[in-house]
Amino acid sequence: QDDFFKGSTIYDDLLRAGLIYRNQFSLPKNQIHQISPNEINLKAKFGNNECGIVPETCPKSIYRSYDGSCNNLKHPSWGTPNTPYNRLLPANYADGIKEPPLSKSGKPLPLARSISLLLYPNIPNEDHVFTLNVMQFGQIVTHDLSMTAGSTQTQYYKDSCCSADGQLLDPSTIPAFCYPMIIPPNDPAHANDNTRCMSFDRTVTNKDRQCVSERHTAEQLTSVNHYLDLSFVYGNDDETNRKLREFQHGRLRADIRNGYQWLPRATNASGTCRLINPNDACYVAGDTRLNQNPQLAILHTVFLREHNRIAHFLSHLNPHWDDELVFQESRKINIAQYQQITCYEWLPYIIGEENAYKARILWKTDGFIDDYDENVDATVLNEHSTAALRHFHSLVRGQLHLIKESRYSEGTVRFSDVLGRPQIIEEHQGFDHLMRGLTTQPQSASDQFHTSEITQFLFRSDNETFGVDLKAFDVQRSRDHGLASYNDYRELWKIPRARKFEDFLDFISYENVDRLARLYEHPDDVDLTVGGSLETNLPGALVGPTFLGIIAESFYRTRVGDRFWFENGGPSNFNPDQLREIRKARMAKLLCDNANAIRTMQLKGFEKLSSSNPLIPCQSLPSIDLSLWKEDRGNDPVEYVSLIQKVFDFK
Ligand code: HEM
């Protein structure tokens, strides 16, 4: 392992060792599992969107669609909602078709809940550098990219796969979509009341919806589009988008209370949120998960306000623009800023800055990049969403700090108390207090330890002591999705395949290898979710090599497979001056501009306050000069193409 880290950069070493691939085409051919477009679905051909969208023709639009269709003109259905995740390695099902894997010997794998209890205990280690904002921004990025079909991820339907008194159902009566988690008899939380079963619904697949013929293996569907495009703000289809718009001055709908803009209220609030009073806040946005936790709702509100802030400016700057043009240009700028922050500010903390440059996800230039490749499919990888990114559930804190402008604490709230209850953001300056908390409170360290708020108390109701276990869900979900084993991914990244448990010692501590050997029968049985999460983080990154490879590969596809990526030139994008402005976007400024009344913020909004990252007035943070979007008609007839003309030409 020591030798492994020697050399000029970690990334070079990873490349040399074959741990990182520059892109999907350098993967050995037999290791690429692409889903043929012809196989995507049968139903879509008949106009049913349950299996993705197959447009007959693509309009020549300079703006991206809401559902992601026609982003790729050669494969217009790529990246649309209700299509399968992609995979780096073929699925590993017990029956080769859809049943969750068993161990090599044919016996069941260790219980997901036992794995969670033994490997992911509640030991609170604070991150020394990063704030809770890294965690929270990560969650919103993942919500932009994917959502397992058939799930809500905001509440728990506890009885569907277990009996009302917490026992396993008779196998002959249990619904086909069930894959319940067995609770071990010595469970510290659930043994007392003899609960033996935790309900778990399998993700809906292309086979369940009869999108593919019988002979195909099951592929899980994701119900949102696969692009990094703020779909959680604008929705994943035209109809949702229409409901979110005001249709005046390019604005998104917002309710005004106490002089501030809030997300519109949900009509079915009692079915969506955990209300204490009937009038409590419960919101709608482009993604249904927004009410899951209050800080998530805050980031949703920030991006809504940012859209309306830009729209307000542009509609005054160009009074001749109609609602549609102001809306689309504001959306484009909002998405571009967000892509800039995600890739240039947030991702380097996750995989290491040097690695992100070497993986060609980031570039050092102030010009266009133009690396769009129509052969790269931006479809999200199953390994990415179901294993690697979920590792960051370890960053979640059990208490949320409410922080005053002085940065002294006003108090804390317990995480499981406020799940499904965004009302707190509208009360007693909660919005600003929690937002300052995001940028002040350290996140939990990226390690194997998880707050019990998500492993023992998640989604508990008010009259229950305990709830469900997110880490056990993560393990069970990776089996539900038939992910290949940790050893298979080591081999994919050219880390030697472990023949005996001790071979895992190259990246996993002795204590954890010992625990793995006690849990599993054979090294080949170790789940990707489990093995990857126990690897020692690489220097400068928050993950070990196996997850780093998966995350880097996935974000590479996300940028290079997006025709509308903000750094691409061409008629649908910015001019060089505008691009230079977009590159000034920073998390700190985004928060300052859209808080209720925050006056100071540190420049590096994902890093804790320090002498090198002190609080500065919000006005001193770099800002984007939107006046560059003024349509100065007739200025330079050769260089300048009127936006209206452009839209007209493309229609
Ligand atoms: C803030 C606290 C969080 C809570 C309460 C939470 C809760 C959940 C729940 C309930 C699921 C679905 C579990 C299942 O049934 O399989 C899920 C999925 C997921 N979570 Fe989290 N999560 C949180 C934060 C995060 C963070 C910080 C990240 C990454 C940076 C993350 C990444 C993911 C991913 C990638 C999925 C799968 C998405 C998909 O459906 O494809 N989550 N989370």
Side-chain angles (χ1 to χ4, degrees), residues 85 134-140 142-143 145-149 151 153-154 200-201 203 222 289 292-293 296 346 350 380 384-386 388-393 395-396 415 419 454 458-459 470 473-474 477 481:
Y85 295 87
V134 172
M135 181 285 291
Q136 197 49 68
F137 194 80
Q139 189 188 31
I140 211 161
T142 69
H143 288 186
L145 292 173
S146 66
M147 176 171 177
T148 46
S151 67
Q153 304 188 3
T154 53
F200 182 97
D201 294 359
T203 302
T222 157
R289 291 163 285 188
Q292 188 211 60
N293 73 73
L296 178 63
W346 176 80
I350 303 293
V380 171
H384 182 64
S385 278
T386 311
L389 273 184
R390 291 184 188 222
H391 171 65
F392 299 119
H393 284 145
L395 311 181
V396 177
F415 188 69
L419 283 183
I454 59 168
L458 187 76
F459 300 145
L470 183 54
F473 269 72
D474 289 343
R477 188 66 66 197
H481 288 207

Side-chain angles (χ1 to χ4, degrees), residues 298-348:
I298 287 181
L299 288 192
H300 269 271
T301 313
V302 163
F303 282 105
L304 169 106
R305 291 182 182 181
E306 179 65 3
H307 174 96
N308 285 348
R309 192 185 72 81
I310 299 169
H312 178 79
F313 193 93
L314 293 188
S315 57
H316 283 85
L317 193 68
N318 297 302
H320 57 289
W321 284 7
D322 64 5
D323 168 73
E324 178 68 12
L325 190 50
V326 177
F327 183 85
Q328 294 303 348
E329 283 298 308
S330 307
R331 173 176 173 239
K332 195 168 115 179
I333 294 169
N334 204 8
I335 295 171
Q337 295 181 151
Y338 158 74
Q339 289 186 336
Q340 158 76 29
I341 292 170
T342 306
C343 277
Y344 284 86
E345 210 178 344
W346 176 80
L347 188 64

Side-chain angles (χ1 to χ4, degrees), residues 158-416:
K158 101 183 215 191
D159 295 331
S160 55
C161 296
C162 304
S163 70
D165 61 349
Q167 304 303 305
L168 288 165
L169 295 173
D170 188 296
S172 61
T173 59
I174 195 164
F177 60 79
C178 287
Y179 178 34
M181 290 191 283
I182 298 173
I183 296 179
N186 57 349
D187 193 293
H190 301 286
N192 270 353
D193 59 1
N194 193 32
T195 302
R196 297 300 316 280
C197 175
M198 208 178 269
S199 194
F200 182 97
D201 294 359
R202 298 197 66 182
T203 302
V204 175
T205 69
N206 53 2
K207 279 179 92 70
D208 299 328
R209 291 208 183 142
Q210 297 168 356
C211 303
V212 288
S213 58
E214 269 307 300
R215 63 193 170 85
H216 283 97
T217 51
E219 294 294 346
Q220 290 68 34
L221 303 176
T222 157
S223 50
V224 299
N225 89 49
H226 299 247
Y227 296 99
L228 193 73
D229 64 348
L230 287 182
S231 54
F232 60 83
V233 176
Y234 299 105
N236 285 280
D237 56 76
D238 295 2
E239 196 190 332
T240 307
N241 180 264
R242 266 195 300 278
K243 289 183 186 152
L244 297 169
R245 281 176 66 170
E246 202 174 289
F247 289 106
Q248 282 193 50
H249 312 297
R251 293 169 54 84
L252 281 163
R253 265 178 62 211
D255 294 347
I256 309 292
R257 275 184 297 278
N258 302 323
Y260 300 112
Q261 295 179 72
W262 304 99
L263 293 153
R265 294 273 178 120
T267 42
N268 175 22
S270 61
T272 312
C273 294
R274 289 166 65 209
L275 305 181
I276 296 176
N277 298 307
N279 289 333
D280 280 354
C282 181
Y283 305 111
V284 284
D287 187 272
T288 52
R289 291 163 285 188
L290 83 155
N291 296 300
Q292 188 211 60
N293 73 73
Q295 287 172 325
L296 178 63
I298 287 181
L299 288 192
H300 269 271
T301 313
V302 163
F303 282 105
L304 169 106
R305 291 182 182 181
E306 179 65 3
H307 174 96
N308 285 348
R309 192 185 72 81
I310 299 169
H312 178 79
F313 193 93
L314 293 188
S315 57
H316 283 85
L317 193 68
N318 297 302
H320 57 289
W321 284 7
D322 64 5
D323 168 73
E324 178 68 12
L325 190 50
V326 177
F327 183 85
Q328 294 303 348
E329 283 298 308
S330 307
R331 173 176 173 239
K332 195 168 115 179
I333 294 169
N334 204 8
I335 295 171
Q337 295 181 151
Y338 158 74
Q339 289 186 336
Q340 158 76 29
I341 292 170
T342 306
C343 277
Y344 284 86
E345 210 178 344
W346 176 80
L347 188 64
Y349 295 138
I350 303 293
I351 61 169
E353 186 171 11
E354 195 77 0
N355 297 333
Y357 277 106
K358 293 283 171 57
R360 296 200 240 169
I361 300 169
L362 306 187
W363 293 81
K364 282 182 182 144
T365 170
D366 66 353
F368 295 113
I369 312 290
D370 285 331
D371 57 348
Y372 172 65
D373 183 343
E374 64 178 3
N375 296 311
V376 173
D377 184 354
T379 292
V380 171
L381 296 171
N382 213 329
E383 297 89 344
H384 182 64
S385 278
T386 311
L389 273 184
R390 291 184 188 222
H391 171 65
F392 299 119
H393 284 145
S394 74
L395 311 181
V396 177
R397 291 299 298 265
Q399 304 278 332
L400 305 181
H401 292 188
L402 301 157
I403 303 289
K404 296 189 278 197
E405 188 65 21
S406 61
R407 273 20 179 210
Y408 285 107
S409 175
E410 175 79 3
T412 58
V413 288
R414 186 179 165 184
F415 188 69
S416 61

